[in-house]
Amino acid sequence: MAIFNNPFKSNKPSPDFNITKPSQVAGIFNWVLNENEEVARRAAATVHRVLKAETSFKRKGLYNSFKYINLQPDDLQLFERFESHIALSLYAIASMNGNGYVREAAVQKLSSIPESSTFPFILFRLGDWVPAVRAQAENSVRKLIEEAKPSFFIEHHKIIDWLIHVERVDLGAIHEEISQFLFSAKNINELLQTIDEYPEGSRYYLFKNLVNRQLLTPSIVELILNDSSYLIRLLAVKNSDIMDNPALVKKLLSDKNQKIRIYAINSIQIGQEQLYKKALYHSIFDSSFLVRSKARDLISRMEEVNFYKLYQDRINQQPSIGAIIGLAETGSKADIPKLEMFMLSETSKYRSASLFALSILDFDTAKSKAFELLEDSSNMVKKMCANIITSSRSARDLPRLRPIFDSGDHDTKRYVLKIISQYGGWSVAGDFLKGIQEPNEMLKYMAYACLKSWYVYSMRLA
């Protein structure tokens, strides 16, 4: 196509290419086709920058941004005058054009220079409504299966899984081809050797498929259990026969994630208590109520134990969250002075635990203490105070909260507003209006959100 035949390829002054969103690309894309190479280069570089800044590929959003760009198949030849990485971005945008011929030509160009950043645009076209475009995309993917490394596909696992949800055409076969390639024996070994290089989402995708395809081996299970993500470790826990593996259960009972410890202790069957005796005695000091109570129950089935004394001894020798709360669970109001001592601790988790433990033995006293500790330096303690105060709301609370708001720091004010937002009535609107006057931006926005929520709810009631 001759350049002078296109009304958009003119020498009129070019705009300032200061755009930041994909939705703005269509407004300057015609300058990419301009006969003035300097103008075209600036426009192309801007489009490339905007596309590279797009970290989450939302198919419909991108298509709506790019489909109305005025392009013809011959126009794609003009992209060759730019640097290859910029040209690839332009082909990627063209692959989402409203013209089927343009999309087909763009996919063909993208296939000739496979790049990780543009691969999603080929995958998107597998669901195209034009058979010729779909065929071109399928050929491109199959070519990549033969030539590319498995890491090339793992990076785009979300879009690969999207293929099985496409309703326009059944893409189950091509999805399975990709999966069989990824999870062949050769490629599994290659992927596992570099597993630490992948982000959490990619590792989860990989391990989940190994579980679903029943490809777990002891070494793979060990890799999963040592992963830093508890969601990935939970995969191994839920898909391994841990009931007959005491060593594994003992390891899981000391896992840093509470859900995994709960799962592990619930897997211990009645009659197996002796196998886990030492681990169970350790678990009675766990920070999780479910783990502590289950451990006490299993130990009680083996022998008679004075848990109250165990918690007392642990507090005197080596205090912990589980010991402080455990003392309240097995003790009486006579233990309140000992618990109150921890409210003076330099460790915030002990102050928070002691306040919660006090609420078990004497809720009214704990609530009174919660008002005092709202100005604590620790947000962990503030959060515990808020939970206790809001668990038993009373109109008498508001006059006690307002002076705390006035004298507190920004974090204290935020927690006071959170608490007040749980109360009804017209009077609390004034508290939110006061919050909007605060100089701190975060506090101001939070007060506005509380006021807006209160307004919607109050108007609905009215």
Side-chain angles (χ1 to χ4, degrees), residues 22 86 88 90 145 158 185 230 323 361 431 447:
I86 292 178
L88 279 173
L90 301 177
I145 289 175
K158 289 183 180 179
Y230 90 88
L361 296 176
D431 298 291

Side-chain angles (χ1 to χ4, degrees), residues 96-109:
M96 306 195 88
N97 194 264
N99 185 320
Y101 295 108
V102 171
R103 295 198 303 277
E104 184 179 2
V107 171
Q108 190 172 13
K109 289 287 187 180

Side-chain angles (χ1 to χ4, degrees), residues 355-371:
L355 182 59
F356 178 74
L358 180 60
S359 72
I360 295 173
L361 296 176
D362 187 341
F363 183 82
D364 291 337
T365 301
K367 185 173 181 180
S368 180
K369 288 284 185 183
F371 283 102

Side-chain angles (χ1 to χ4, degrees), residues 186-199:
K186 175 190 172 184
N187 287 335
I188 288 174
N189 291 331
E190 182 179 331
L191 289 167
L192 292 178
Q193 286 172 5
T194 57
I195 192 68
D196 293 336
E197 299 175 9
Y198 295 103

